Amino acid sequence: VLVEGDRIFEFDDWRNSMSYWKGDFQYKKTIKSFLSNTQWKKLRDGVFGNFFRLQGVKFCGRLIHSVLLSEIISNDSHSMTFKVFYREVKFTREAFQIITGLKCSSSVDFKVLRERENRLSKVYFPGKDRIELGDLWHFITSHPYGTTASFVGSHDDAVKLATIYFVESVLMGKRKNRNVSERVMKIVDDDELCSSFNWGSLCYEKLLKSLKSCLKPKQNTSENENEKEKDKEKDSYTILGFPFAFCVWIMEVFLIFQEK
């Protein structure tokens, strides 16, 4: 029986696995081609502006995998604890906020959205019960600015659609065959709510849940040895959310250890 402080994984069991991220690495290029210069400036001046000033994002799958193998049992469900170089370090909501600059005040409350209409869905995706991220990507890439196919909606709506795409494809790390969140669409459509919303906690909780579960066997599976061995044999897995913040945190931790 594992107790607090014990390692969860045996390194040799998982050393050949590789982690991946299936979001849009080219999100700036995708979005910029859709927006006018004025719209692009508005996006960069908004709540997610810092992410559009980055030169790019790179995913360090092997680094993440190596650190995940060092996870130890902790009673704190809102963070992850690792033993690195014989020292215990903790990835927390506060660290995520410092790295991303996104508001991480508390858990996310969606009650305010229950009675709101999904206007953007009705206007730009009429007749669709659900919108896949691929639908939104196709809409954006099919309406490049400055061409005869340019977006004909309002300037504000162009920025809102671009923002939704960014949140879903980058901060949530969704694949194109996943549904776009109606909640996210409703939040972004309300300028005041979007600017004050607890985006950091939403993104952190998505990432934390993925990091905590990506190497663990799925629930409701057989506990016999054959099933366990099959689970160990998998050579890759996908991380959701925004794992680049986790990569930055890892590098900061390593630097601290080097200084000591």
Side-chain angles (χ1 to χ4, degrees), residues 15-65:
R15 62 185 176 186
N16 293 321
S17 294
M18 185 66 182
S19 61
Y20 295 93
W21 184 74
K22 300 298 178 68
D24 187 356
F25 286 94
Q26 303 297 322
Y27 67 93
K28 288 199 301 180
K29 180 179 179 181
T30 301
I31 291 172
K32 192 170 185 179
S33 66
F34 174 65
L35 302 178
S36 68
N37 290 336
T38 301
Q39 293 163 353
W40 176 250
K41 183 178 185 304
K42 181 176 181 180
L43 184 65
R44 284 169 56 95
D45 290 341
V47 65
F48 301 115
N50 288 338
F51 296 90
F52 291 94
R53 297 186 187 93
L54 296 174
Q55 289 187 345
V57 289
K58 294 183 179 180
F59 182 71
C60 304
R62 292 193 181 279
L63 177 63
I64 289 178
H65 180 67

Side-chain angles (χ1 to χ4, degrees), residues 57-87:
V57 289
K58 294 183 179 180
F59 182 71
C60 304
R62 292 193 181 279
L63 177 63
I64 289 178
H65 180 67
S66 296
V67 173
L68 288 179
L69 288 174
S70 67
E71 184 185 1
I72 61 176
I73 295 291
S74 171
N75 292 328
D76 184 359
S77 62
H78 301 293
S79 66
M80 289 185 77
T81 306
F82 307 91
K83 183 168 284 187
V84 182
F85 300 136
Y86 305 102
R87 297 174 183 267

Side-chain angles (χ1 to χ4, degrees), residues 9 12 39 49-50 52 60 83 102 108 131 151 158 191 252:
F9 305 107
D12 287 343
Q39 293 163 353
N50 288 338
F52 291 94
C60 304
K83 183 168 284 187
L102 296 175
V108 180
I131 304 167
F151 178 66
D191 291 337
E252 289 293 327

Side-chain angles (χ1 to χ4, degrees), residues 26-46 48-49 52 124 136-137 139-147 149-166 188:
Q26 303 297 322
Y27 67 93
K28 288 199 301 180
K29 180 179 179 181
T30 301
I31 291 172
K32 192 170 185 179
S33 66
F34 174 65
L35 302 178
S36 68
N37 290 336
T38 301
Q39 293 163 353
W40 176 250
K41 183 178 185 304
K42 181 176 181 180
L43 184 65
R44 284 169 56 95
D45 290 341
F48 301 115
F52 291 94
Y124 299 107
L136 181 55
W137 175 85
F139 184 92
I140 287 175
T141 56
S142 298
H143 295 83
Y145 182 77
T147 70
S150 292
F151 178 66
V152 295
S154 72
H155 290 295
D156 286 345
D157 281 358
V159 175
K160 288 175 180 179
L161 290 171
T163 300
I164 293 166
Y165 179 77
F166 166 74
V188 172

